[in-house]
Amino acid sequence: NKFFNEEEIGAEYGEGFETFRLDGPLKVDVDFLNEKLQEGFLKRIRYAMKPDEAFGLIFSWDNVLADSRALRLSSWQQLAYEEGKNISEDADVQSSLLYAKVDHVLRKVLFWENRESELERLESRLSQLYYENMLKLTKPIEGVKEWLDAVSTARIPCALVSCLDRKCLLETLHQMGLNKYFQAIVTKEDGMDSIAHRFLSAAVKLDRKPSKCVVFEDDLRGITAAHNCTMMAVALIGAHPAYELVQADLAVASFSELSVINLRRLFAHKGSTFMDVQKQVVEKSPTKRKLTIDTI
């Protein structure tokens, strides 16, 4: 039920996640990946000739590929119908349905239930309704398919991140005709604890260092997580107005406004290593001149 709860942003202080190897657990964080996923000699030559292939694109599921806001509201309406309840059309209530935790909505917003057993039953049913509605999706967000066609032609690898179940997500992608565009998928089964960890996992699966990845998000928390991972962030205006998305590196109203050249411009101003860790140079003040001759 993570998609009905507020997730942690992650990587605020460079913390990462653990992956297990034969010789024991390995701590993976932003700095580690930016160092270990550096391009080798042959890749540098290839990327010099085809610079677009050096990028990795990471797409969030919610409101980037699919209209998950409509799915959530529809699921709440169906639950209310089954329980014989009514949901107010008030803007604050509708916002709570989209962004607040389920138990908070049931207890403090809708005032439906306080008993733990009933809360668990309602939350479970709400998740079930969401998945059922999701499996009925046939159309992605407008302009997504054309944009994925463009980046696929440029041979830029793409990843999809979500906290949903992998089987259900793959089935929905197949129905929408988008499954062929993604070389990597990060889902609930990957066990990532935060938004940033999912982005880092996607970078590993794409074999691209985080500082060469671009995240497509519509949420402020996702944009913050991308920047914590040294990734670029492209925001889609919709759930949040443009003035709330100023922290994104680029904000667009739809995918139709994007072109592959936009990706190059995101990195063009400081070169390919502009987000790599660098040491700050402390300038020493010049020594004072001492007079060796008495001029008085």
Side-chain angles (χ1 to χ4, degrees):
N1 299 319
K2 280 187 176 181
F3 52 90
F4 279 106
N5 293 324
E6 190 176 75
E7 296 181 271
E8 293 183 8
I9 295 175
E12 289 94 339
Y13 305 102
E15 81 275 7
F17 57 90
E18 284 190 349
T19 180
F20 293 93
R21 297 289 186 269
L22 293 176
D23 55 350
L26 175 67
K27 181 66 175 297
V28 177
D29 60 13
V30 178
D31 294 337
F32 176 86
L33 292 178
N34 274 326
E35 180 181 353
K36 293 298 182 183
L37 295 178
Q38 289 279 3
E39 301 91 352
F41 176 71
L42 293 178
K43 281 189 175 180
R44 285 201 298 269
I45 295 177
R46 180 179 180 85
Y47 295 158
M49 295 185 294
K50 299 182 178 180
D52 297 330
E53 294 184 17
F55 306 132
L57 307 187
I58 300 174
F59 294 81
S60 289
W61 168 257
D62 289 335
N63 304 314
V64 175
L65 291 188
D67 188 0
S68 58
R69 286 176 294 172
L71 288 177
R72 294 184 189 215
L73 292 175
S74 176
S75 301
W76 275 110
Q77 292 292 346
Q78 288 178 257
L79 182 64
Y81 178 79
E82 291 180 357
E83 298 296 320
K85 307 283 188 179
N86 293 318
I87 296 179
S88 171
E89 296 294 330
D90 182 73
D92 291 336
V93 173
Q94 296 294 312
S95 178
S96 298
L97 298 181
L98 290 172
Y99 304 112
K101 293 183 179 181
V102 178
D103 57 350
H104 173 77
V105 174
L106 293 173
R107 289 180 180 183
K108 305 294 185 182
V109 180
L110 299 179
F111 304 103
W112 283 4
E113 192 58 62
N114 280 316
R115 290 175 297 174
E116 288 296 330
S117 59
E118 280 298 299
L119 288 173
E120 291 179 3
R121 181 186 68 82
L122 292 172
E123 187 170 357
S124 176
R125 179 56 182 158
L126 183 64
S127 301
Q128 185 179 359
L129 290 170
Y130 184 91
Y131 275 114
E132 290 175 358
N133 291 331
M134 195 174 92
L135 289 173
K136 298 175 184 176
L137 283 176
T138 57
K139 293 183 179 179
I141 293 288
E142 185 179 356
V144 167
K145 196 166 185 178
E146 291 76 12
W147 171 240
L148 290 173
D149 274 327
V151 297
S152 177
T153 302
R155 300 180 64 85
I156 305 174
C158 299
L160 173 62
V161 297
S162 173
C163 58
L164 298 172
D165 176 79
R166 182 182 297 271
K167 181 180 178 182
C168 184
L169 189 62
L170 288 174
E171 188 173 342
T172 306
L173 283 177
H174 181 73
Q175 289 178 181
M176 296 164 67
L178 301 180
N179 53 315
K180 63 180 180 180
Y181 297 110
F182 295 100
Q183 288 71 47
I185 294 179
V186 180
T187 58
K188 179 180 70 175
E189 286 79 3
D190 289 278
M192 298 294 106
D193 296 327
S194 67
I195 304 171
H197 290 177
R198 285 204 296 273
F199 291 162
L200 293 178
S201 179
V204 172
K205 292 186 178 186
L206 291 177
D207 193 26
R208 297 292 188 274
K209 60 181 182 178
S211 60
K212 293 293 287 185
C213 290
V214 181
V215 172
F216 292 85
E217 262 284 359
D218 84 310
D219 187 69
L220 301 174
R221 298 171 61 80
I223 295 170
T224 302
H227 286 162
N228 287 347
C229 295
T230 68
M231 299 177 179
M232 288 294 194
V234 176
L236 290 175
I237 302 168
H240 299 276
Y243 63 83
E244 291 184 3
L245 301 172
V246 291
Q247 60 178 308
D249 300 288
L250 177 65
V252 294
S254 68
F255 283 101
S256 60
E257 298 180 12
L258 291 172
S259 64
V260 176
I261 194 65
N262 294 132
L263 301 179
R264 300 178 197 170
R265 288 173 177 169
L266 287 175
F267 298 93
H269 61 297
K270 291 186 179 179
S272 61
T273 59
F274 79 102
M275 295 191 89
D276 291 350
V277 178
Q278 297 180 2
K279 293 182 179 179
Q280 182 178 356
V281 179
V282 180
E283 296 182 358
K284 294 182 179 180
S285 57
T287 56
K288 295 181 179 180
R289 294 181 60 187
K290 293 183 179 180
L291 295 174
T292 57
I293 299 176
D294 191 354
T295 59
I296 299 179

